[in-house]
């Protein structure tokens, strides 16, 4: 059945570690820019906003990558 195809994760359907890494980088760029803009609006200080954004960049990058790899190990059915 066609629907079953979308709920089965075979090893060939999973993202490679490299693809997960690139996805994590691209998502962090978007997320960090968002954090910097919000921090700048709330604090009114660009330097503080950049500091918050740089800390958030690294912490959430590693959290996302780990989250992505764990989800790739889950067989969804």
């Amino acid at each position: 059945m066609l629907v079953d195809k979308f709920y089965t994760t075979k090893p060939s359907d999973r993202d490679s570690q490299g693809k997960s890494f690139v996805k994590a980088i691209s998502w962090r760029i978007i997320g960090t820019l968002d954090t910097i803009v919000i921090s700048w609006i709330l604090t009114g200080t660009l330097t503080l906003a950049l500091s918050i954004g740089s800390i958030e960049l690294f912490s959430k990058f590693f959290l996302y990558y780990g989250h992505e790899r764990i989800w790739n190990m889950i067989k969804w059915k």
Side-chain angles (χ1 to χ4, degrees), residues 6-32:
F6 295 106
Y7 294 103
T8 304
T9 303
K10 300 177 292 196
S12 61
D13 293 337
R14 296 181 187 155
D15 287 345
S16 67
Q17 288 187 16
K19 185 176 179 183
S20 292
F21 187 78
V22 172
K23 283 170 63 177
I25 290 171
S26 67
W27 179 245
R28 281 313 338 128
I29 290 169
I30 294 167
T32 298

Side-chain angles (χ1 to χ4, degrees), residues 27-76:
W27 179 245
R28 281 313 338 128
I29 290 169
I30 294 167
T32 298
L33 290 174
D34 180 56
T35 297
I36 290 170
V37 169
I38 291 169
S39 299
W40 192 8
I41 291 168
L42 292 176
T43 67
T45 309
L46 182 58
T47 352
L48 183 56
L50 291 169
S51 296
I52 293 168
S54 62
I55 291 168
E56 180 264 0
L57 170 68
F58 292 104
S59 67
K60 289 190 179 172
F61 172 80
F62 291 109
L63 289 170
Y64 175 84
Y65 181 79
H67 179 262
E68 180 76 13
R69 297 312 306 159
I70 290 168
W71 270 100
N72 270 320
M73 291 187 285
I74 296 172
K75 184 177 182 181
W76 197 265

